[in-house]
Amino acid sequence: KRLSVDWIHVHGKANSNLGGNLKFDDKIFSGNVTAKSNFDYIKVDMKNPLVNLRVANINWNYGVSVIHWDGKVNGSGNEGTENRWAPAPYVGLGASVSLVPDTINLYANVSGLPLGGRGHFYDVEAGLKYNPIDQLRFLAGYRRIDISLKSGSKSGDIKLSGPFVGASFTF
């Protein structure tokens, strides 16, 4: 019950008429472009209890998130592709309160880490968990992920937020 793994996949596609120039994969794009993007976020989390009562608990957690992004831009007679992987270690705090013992919990988790001149990483979520059996959980809530990574002259910002539903298997 202490180790968990999350995976989020987001795919995007856009067509745009640029008002200026876009530099992507060391190529310059202008005018009409088509862009495709895939984003994967994998979070491996280890929870450690601080307070563990029958109706409520508080834990601290640590782990690593692996961020993968690949993008492709077509236009102006050019094609550019980029593919990036970045690990982001983190620490955090979480809490839960049992609304229906061993079945429905209200929870919140905050984790992240400032990365100095390399950016930051934050993941905040709150919601309800339904536990039909011990290792399986269904979740509904709100989550915000804010990632800013810098390496040399390259940088990227990813912000995801909104309501979600999901399933979780713990072991």
Side-chain angles (χ1 to χ4, degrees):
K1 290 187 178 185
R2 293 181 48 212
L3 179 67
S4 65
V5 178
D6 289 348
W7 175 52
I8 298 171
H9 175 77
V10 178
H11 172 75
K13 183 177 178 181
N15 295 308
S16 182
N17 187 358
L18 299 174
N21 292 330
L22 168 69
K23 184 176 181 183
F24 184 82
D25 190 23
D26 295 324
K27 297 175 179 86
I28 302 296
F29 295 87
S30 62
N32 291 321
V33 296
T34 300
K36 294 180 184 176
S37 179
N38 288 300
F39 171 76
D40 291 290
Y41 173 79
I42 301 163
K43 182 177 182 182
V44 180
D45 190 68
M46 180 63 78
K47 290 179 178 40
N48 300 285
L50 291 172
V51 175
N52 197 5
L53 305 173
R54 175 118 173 99
V55 296
N57 66 58
I58 299 171
N59 62 67
W60 72 277
N61 58 322
Y62 63 90
V64 66
S65 291
V66 178
I67 300 144
H68 172 247
W69 174 80
D70 69 69
K72 185 176 190 178
V73 175
N74 290 300
S76 308
N78 285 326
E79 178 176 290
T81 60
E82 292 211 20
N83 189 340
R84 300 277 184 245
W85 289 89
Y90 64 85
V91 294
L93 285 172
S96 69
V97 175
S98 181
L99 301 177
V100 177
D102 300 323
T103 306
I104 299 175
N105 296 306
L106 179 63
Y107 76 96
N109 292 308
V110 176
S111 60
L113 195 63
L115 302 172
R118 297 209 176 264
H120 65 264
F121 159 72
Y122 300 105
D123 185 347
V124 179
E125 83 176 87
L128 289 172
K129 286 183 187 177
Y130 169 61
N131 307 330
I133 61 174
D134 198 32
Q135 289 82 20
L136 180 64
R137 290 181 175 85
F138 295 101
L139 303 93
Y142 186 88
R143 191 166 187 176
R144 178 174 174 85
I145 299 170
D146 184 338
I147 303 166
S148 178
L149 297 174
K150 299 170 187 146
S151 177
S153 65
K154 298 193 181 230
S155 66
D157 294 313
I158 299 166
K159 293 181 184 186
L160 301 172
S161 63
F164 73 92
V165 294
S168 165
F169 185 79
T170 58
F171 48 97

